[in-house]
Amino acid sequence: MTAVLDKPQKVSAVVGLLVLFEITSGFIQGGVAPLLPDLGTEMNISDANLNWVISVQLLTAAVSVPAFGRLGDLYGHRRMLRVALACVAVGSVLVVIAPNLAVLLAGRALLGPLAALLPLEIALVRDRLPVELARRAIARLVGALALGGLLGGVITAGLYQVIGDARLTLLIPAVLAVICVPVSFLAVPETAQLATGKLDVPGVAVLSASMVALLSGISLLSSSAVTGAALALAGLAGFAGWIVLELRTTEPLVDLRALAGRHVAPFFLCSFVFGIVYFGSQAPDSTFLAADRADAGYGFGFTALQISLVALPAAIAAVVGSNLTAVIAGRFGYRPTLIAAFLTIAVTFLAQALFHDQLWQLLLFKVPVGLAAGVALGAMPTVIAETADASRTGITTALYNNVKTLGGAVAGAVVAAILAALVQGSDSTPTEGAYVVVWLMCSVLCVGAAAAAVFARRVESV
């Protein structure tokens, strides 16, 4: 039986602290994208390699999230929340002081546990609160993440205009990350229900090696087809072996059988697609807006602040959408809500692929895509969390986040390959067609996600 906190005021205080962590998480993630072009200039990093600044974090997130989720189920979600926050604090500081790309990527890798925060928090509120309060708390946490992304993009870009140094500007989110560590020792309660068993170390090792091989292979396809294809195939073979390993393990890292039913599997597919679309479009959007039309034939020559302001309507709409998810889904159902959200995103990316020469066109698309993304973000974790046994909420919601971030990591590698392959002559500048390919890819994938949601078997919660 789910344990419930005794006092409503204590519930509010605890959720408030978790909201602070999610705002910080969103701030850190949202503050990087508008600075990417200038960060690349300062550190002499190509546009294709800039994608790895985003994707390396997603790669480590996809590896660490299920481990954190399972360890949270076994030893306490509050404990693992503190460990994750400590990793993020160290990584944020390392990004600020990074003298080169290698150290920068190391710092970004340590930010991977950012993706573990939300699953751990969802497990905490589901363990400590009754269903209706837990659903509202989850919506608040997702909304806080979106709000943090909004504030991170605007505030960080604005400060950069004053400071003039991209890495020094990132000191602000680093300070926030450091503050969150001692705050986590205040009033956050520990999980009352702990699972039994142990961490599937072989599962973590095989999953990690497979992901590194697959993503490295994808990124190398444009420069070394043979090496890239060999690594990608090795990664796929590793995934196949990992699936067999997990199915034969008594206490697997991921309960793959939980994905088999039509009541949940399509929603994990939706999460994977969302990760590709959401994370995969960040860096290309920034570099497209920053491109000088006189040199590249497209773009607007925008600064970091201008890039963040262009993204602002979508960020605001995402905050609104995520906070309205419970109301919308409560009236129409979670499945129809997700279908509508993904179809809306598909239409906007198709429109962006066709019309992107004028700034007003891009701004027009930002509101519907942001609103739909916010609704999808609010709906997916709630649906998936409620399919889990109470003692495995951490790993189930971690799996959701893992699938989403894995999609983003794959997207980073694929987008990097597209931008590196479709260039203007001997120059490293991507062609306009490269960006169109990325946007069309996002549109098609969202149509596929909507179809998957249609295929999902109806259950009472969705």
Side-chain angles (χ1 to χ4, degrees):
M1 183 176 180
T2 301
V4 180
L5 290 177
D6 296 328
K7 299 180 180 179
Q9 57 266 35
K10 189 175 182 181
V11 173
S12 300
V14 170
V15 174
L17 291 178
L18 301 182
V19 164
L20 171 64
F21 301 153
E22 282 309 305
I23 290 177
T24 301
S25 175
F27 196 102
I28 293 172
Q29 297 178 64
V32 171
L35 295 182
L36 280 179
D38 297 288
L39 189 63
T41 300
E42 289 182 12
M43 302 187 68
N44 195 28
I45 303 172
S46 68
D47 285 352
N49 284 334
L50 277 177
N51 283 278
W52 283 105
V53 176
I54 298 292
S55 62
V56 71
Q57 177 192 335
L58 301 176
L59 174 61
T60 55
V63 174
S64 63
V65 166
F68 273 76
R70 182 58 178 157
L71 288 171
D73 288 337
L74 293 171
Y75 304 112
H77 300 103
R78 180 183 65 179
R79 177 179 296 178
M80 296 312 301
L81 182 68
R82 291 170 175 171
V83 174
L85 289 171
C87 289
V88 170
V90 173
S92 298
V93 173
L94 197 57
V95 167
V96 174
I97 64 175
N100 51 49
L101 178 61
V103 178
L104 175 65
L105 293 180
R108 292 288 296 175
L110 283 172
L111 295 181
L114 271 174
L117 298 182
L118 185 60
L120 292 170
E121 292 159 358
I122 290 175
L124 278 171
V125 299
R126 188 172 181 233
D127 177 78
R128 308 293 297 192
L129 298 175
V131 174
E132 289 305 317
L133 286 178
R135 286 178 174 178
R136 288 201 290 267
I138 292 172
R140 288 176 60 187
L141 292 172
V142 174
L145 178 62
L147 176 61
L150 185 159
L151 295 175
V154 175
I155 294 176
T156 303
L159 288 173
Y160 174 71
Q161 294 295 104
V162 177
I163 298 173
D165 186 297
R167 280 178 295 166
L168 187 58
T169 302
L170 292 173
L171 180 62
I172 305 302
V175 170
L176 289 176
V178 171
I179 290 174
C180 283
V181 177
V183 170
S184 68
F185 284 83
L186 295 180
V188 180
E190 185 54 279
T191 309
Q193 298 186 81
L194 296 179
T196 58
K198 60 183 180 180
L199 178 65
D200 176 20
V201 177
V204 174
V206 175
L207 177 63
S208 303
S210 301
M211 290 178 60
V212 170
L214 177 61
L215 296 174
S216 299
I218 293 173
S219 67
L220 290 173
L221 284 174
S222 60
S223 58
S224 178
V226 175
T227 303
L231 283 172
L233 289 174
L236 291 174
F239 272 117
W242 176 75
I243 290 173
V244 173
L245 176 65
E246 293 299 279
L247 291 175
R248 293 181 176 179
T249 301
T250 304
E251 292 288 342
L253 175 67
V254 176
D255 185 3
L256 296 178
R257 291 181 176 85
L259 301 180
R262 278 181 54 190
H263 65 289
V264 61
F267 297 114
F268 277 103
L269 178 59
C270 290
S271 303
F272 182 74
V273 169
F274 187 89
I276 293 176
V277 172
Y278 183 76
F279 294 111
S281 62
Q282 287 184 2
D285 280 358
S286 296
T287 54
F288 181 86
L289 291 170
D292 187 342
R293 185 165 299 195
D295 296 328
Y298 59 84
F300 301 91
F302 281 175
T303 64
L305 179 59
Q306 290 171 318
I307 292 172
S308 66
L309 291 177
V310 171
L312 185 60
I316 294 175
V319 173
V320 174
S322 59
N323 281 285
L324 291 178
T325 299
V327 176
I328 298 172
R331 179 167 182 175
F332 299 104
Y334 279 95
R335 190 176 72 142
T337 298
L338 280 175
I339 294 170
F342 276 106
L343 288 178
T344 300
I345 297 172
V347 170
T348 54
F349 271 106
L350 175 60
Q352 186 167 329
L354 296 174
F355 308 103
H356 49 263
D357 291 333
Q358 302 297 321
L359 179 59
W360 68 266
Q361 294 170 332
L362 298 179
L363 292 174
L364 182 64
F365 306 144
K366 292 299 181 182
V367 173
V369 75
L371 185 64
V375 170
L377 273 173
M380 286 185 293
T382 301
V383 172
I384 292 173
E386 292 182 0
T387 67
D389 180 82
S391 65
R392 293 187 67 89
T393 302
I395 186 59
T396 303
T397 51
L399 179 57
Y400 149 73
N401 231 32
N402 190 58
V403 169
K404 185 180 69 176
T405 51
L406 176 59
V410 170
V414 171
V415 170
I418 292 173
L419 297 184
L422 302 177
V423 296
Q424 301 182 14
S426 59
D427 194 0
S428 62
T429 302
T431 64
E432 182 179 354
Y435 292 98
V436 172
V437 169
V438 171
W439 295 328
L440 288 176
M441 176 188 72
C442 292
S443 179
V444 171
L445 288 173
C446 285
V447 172
V454 171
F455 178 76
R457 178 175 296 166
R458 295 176 182 271
V459 294
E460 183 178 351
S461 63
V462 299

